[in-house]
Amino acid sequence: NAPSSTARTPVARPATPAAGAFRRAPLQHAAGLESVLGQRAGSLTQRFGKARIDLKEGDARKLQFLGSGCVLDIYLYPREERGEPVATHVEARSLSDGEDTDRARCIREVERER
């Protein structure tokens, strides 16, 4: 008698991108950010002035702008392979305490004070 063998069914696993493979950055969805999301860095600096911080890392970029009461961080990533980075995410915080603040209000403040 030969020992019985237990056949294993292979487990299906989701495909993971190869190292260095392009992954499409999702666009943030929030009211009041529509005029910023999808914009290129040149359009943003025309609108808000020179960025306080302009940081590039790989194909990503972060632009930071200051208002009198808030800090506006705009993150840009390509939406297609070898595409130019566009704004995909926006964060804002209060200058006084560093707490999150209304992003749309901060956008208006930075633009107004340009």
Side-chain angles (χ1 to χ4, degrees):
N1 265 337
S4 65
S5 64
T6 308
R8 290 189 162 189
T9 305
V11 176
R13 297 189 179 174
T16 56
F22 176 77
R23 287 189 284 177
R24 184 181 174 108
L27 275 180
Q28 181 180 32
H29 295 286
L33 306 183
E34 301 85 1
S35 67
V36 171
L37 295 173
Q39 297 297 309
R40 294 179 174 151
S43 297
L44 296 167
T45 55
Q46 267 188 325
R47 180 175 176 183
F48 299 119
K50 185 178 182 198
R52 175 177 179 247
I53 294 174
D54 185 345
L55 178 65
K56 295 178 186 175
E57 186 175 323
D59 60 359
R61 189 169 181 181
K62 173 186 171 180
L63 298 176
Q64 184 179 88
F65 302 95
L66 287 178
S68 58
C70 68
V71 177
L72 179 66
D73 292 318
I74 303 175
Y75 298 88
L76 299 90
Y77 295 91
R79 298 275 294 149
E80 54 192 43
E81 196 163 4
R82 291 184 289 283
E84 186 173 346
V86 297
T88 60
H89 188 82
V90 177
E91 292 181 6
R93 61 187 178 281
S94 169
L95 273 175
S96 63
D97 60 12
E99 293 294 318
D100 288 347
T101 191
D102 183 87
R103 293 171 291 212
R105 183 196 56 75
C106 188
I107 288 169
R108 291 188 302 271
E109 179 179 305
V110 171
E111 185 173 39
R112 184 176 61 246
E113 295 174 2
R114 178 176 188 266

